[in-house]
Amino acid sequence: ARDQGTSRFELYTPDMETHAARQLSLESRLRRAIDADQFELVYQPKIEVETLKLAGFEALVRWRGEDGALISPGEFIPAAEETGLIIPLGELVLRSACEQMAAWRREGLVDLPVSVNLSGRQVSDPHLSRKALAILAHSGLPSSHLKLELTETALFRSTPGIREALLELHAAGVRFLLDDFGTGYSSLSYLKRFPIEAIKIDKSFVQGMVEDPDAASIVNAIINMAHALKMRVIAEGVETQEQLIFLRAYRCDRMQGFLFAPPTAVADIPALVRRLAS
Ligand code: C2E
Ligand code: CA
Ligand code: CA
Ligand code: CA
């Protein structure tokens, strides 16, 4: 008779090896890409709901692979987070976003804040505050022009020391936004323990709003509650005119989405700024 254990083992091993090998090669490719500076930032405009004016940008990272193709963050941020490589990568992103915004300011193109995403490991980095303040000072960008987007999970996992670090950055003028609101479990009142200026409603709610009355009620309630707590609200993933009409009726403050502009390469930002200004 065949040995069940052995045959299962034989079936299982190649898969495990491939997975491990794939992880290893992604890790070493990421490491090389950080050394070779193969990351680029694209910028998505934030738009005022009431006036449709440009209010700032969110920086989003892209990896330019060896073959020139762009790799999206969903494919490498989790591995960067798992391996700790998010720390050097996050510093590259923060430096590049601050320098780019400072340059656009000097050139007179825009004088607006830039948002940078931080993942959990970065928020828990005890050197976050020191590094961010050094990067700001070196870039010449005023601290009031930097916003950091954090997630609920990152805040939950953080230690008391982290809250102090966030308060220190906040005292220097840096602002914090809560990303993907609605996908986690935290209440807005819990979030008030942190210096959070605004929440971003996850695009799953925004996109469900028009078809699904429950999603619409949730968006409406989130906006009212946030305003009662003196927080601003930004809607993510706005793709249609109908969604914009709902957000206007609910007095949402700002929005981002393909309806206005996708995340855009640096070379195309001047034309985009002109289009949004007209
Ligand atoms: P996120 O911070 O929630 O970013 C919003 C995502 O929605 C972006 O995907 C953006 O390209 C996409 N998006 C914008 N407008 C629309 C729209 O109208 N419709 C749809 N369907 N999607 C829209 P992206 O750039 O692929 O980034 C995915 C996630 O990767 C981000 O989610 C963020 O969590 C993470 N990420 C991106 N850049 C960075 C970074 O520099 N550092 C860290 N730690 N994470 C980053
Ligand atoms: Ca974000
Ligand atoms: Ca999101
Ligand atoms: Ca996200």
Side-chain angles (χ1 to χ4, degrees):
R2 279 217 336 242
D3 182 335
Q4 280 291 324
T6 306
S7 81
R8 219 180 296 128
F9 183 71
E10 282 168 359
L11 273 173
Y12 201 53
T13 314
D15 272 347
M16 285 173 60
E17 274 174 4
T18 343
H19 178 73
R22 226 186 289 126
Q23 275 299 110
L24 190 66
S25 86
L26 179 57
E27 178 176 353
S28 57
R29 281 166 57 220
L30 262 174
R31 210 179 285 279
R32 263 187 286 136
I34 292 170
D35 291 338
D37 206 3
Q38 287 173 349
F39 294 92
E40 292 171 21
L41 296 186
V42 286
Y43 294 85
Q44 186 175 39
K46 300 195 178 194
I47 307 288
E48 296 281 355
V49 173
E50 211 182 305
T51 60
L52 297 182
K53 280 204 172 115
L54 178 62
F57 291 98
E58 176 176 5
L60 294 153
V61 71
R62 299 289 181 265
W63 177 2
R64 176 81 61 188
E66 309 274 310
D67 58 355
L70 284 184
I71 307 170
S72 73
E75 290 180 46
F76 61 87
I77 292 285
E81 175 82 2
E82 211 174 299
T83 56
L85 288 170
I86 193 69
I87 297 295
L89 174 58
E91 265 178 79
L92 283 179
V93 167
L94 193 57
R95 184 170 303 116
S96 166
C98 291
E99 286 176 356
Q100 183 62 70
M101 215 54 216
W104 283 333
R105 228 174 143 244
R106 274 195 310 272
E107 293 159 15
L109 182 68
V110 281
D111 188 5
L112 293 168
V114 65
S115 281
V116 175
N117 291 283
L118 294 188
S119 60
R121 198 112 162 203
Q122 294 175 273
V123 177
S124 299
D125 174 5
H127 306 295
L128 171 68
S129 165
R130 181 179 54 76
K131 285 177 189 165
L133 293 175
I135 287 172
L136 276 166
H138 186 263
S139 71
L141 187 73
S143 326
S144 58
H145 282 47
L146 176 64
K147 301 191 182 208
L148 298 173
E149 301 198 358
L150 319 173
T151 61
E152 296 168 62
T153 6
L155 287 180
F156 276 130
R157 282 199 318 214
S158 69
T159 58
I162 300 314
R163 190 169 163 270
E164 304 313 313
L166 298 187
L167 288 171
E168 188 185 345
L169 282 170
H170 187 258
V174 176
R175 294 295 170 250
F176 295 95
L177 311 187
L178 191 81
D179 218 337
D180 298 345
F181 188 80
T183 57
Y185 299 96
S186 49
S187 65
L188 285 174
S189 54
Y190 169 80
L191 293 170
K192 278 306 273 186
R193 298 179 49 239
F194 299 95
I196 290 166
E197 169 197 60
I199 58 170
K200 299 187 74 171
I201 303 183
D202 192 66
K203 55 176 172 280
S204 56
F205 294 102
V206 173
Q207 297 180 345
M209 220 169 32
V210 177
E211 308 286 323
D212 175 5
D214 289 340
S217 303
I218 291 170
V219 171
N220 191 14
I222 291 174
I223 294 172
N224 287 335
M225 235 180 329
H227 284 168
L229 292 168
K230 309 259 182 315
M231 289 191 262
R232 262 206 289 243
V233 184
I234 301 161
E236 294 183 333
V238 181
E239 294 181 357
T240 69
Q241 203 65 41
E242 287 86 351
Q243 291 162 357
L244 166 58
I245 291 167
F246 274 66
L247 294 171
R248 240 199 204 120
Y250 297 157
R251 305 198 182 288
C252 184
D253 301 280
R254 289 177 182 171
M255 57 197 169
Q256 290 174 251
F258 297 163
L259 181 62
F260 310 99
T264 302
V266 169
D268 299 323
I269 292 291
L272 176 62
V273 169
R274 280 194 297 274
R275 172 166 75 75
L276 291 171
S278 63

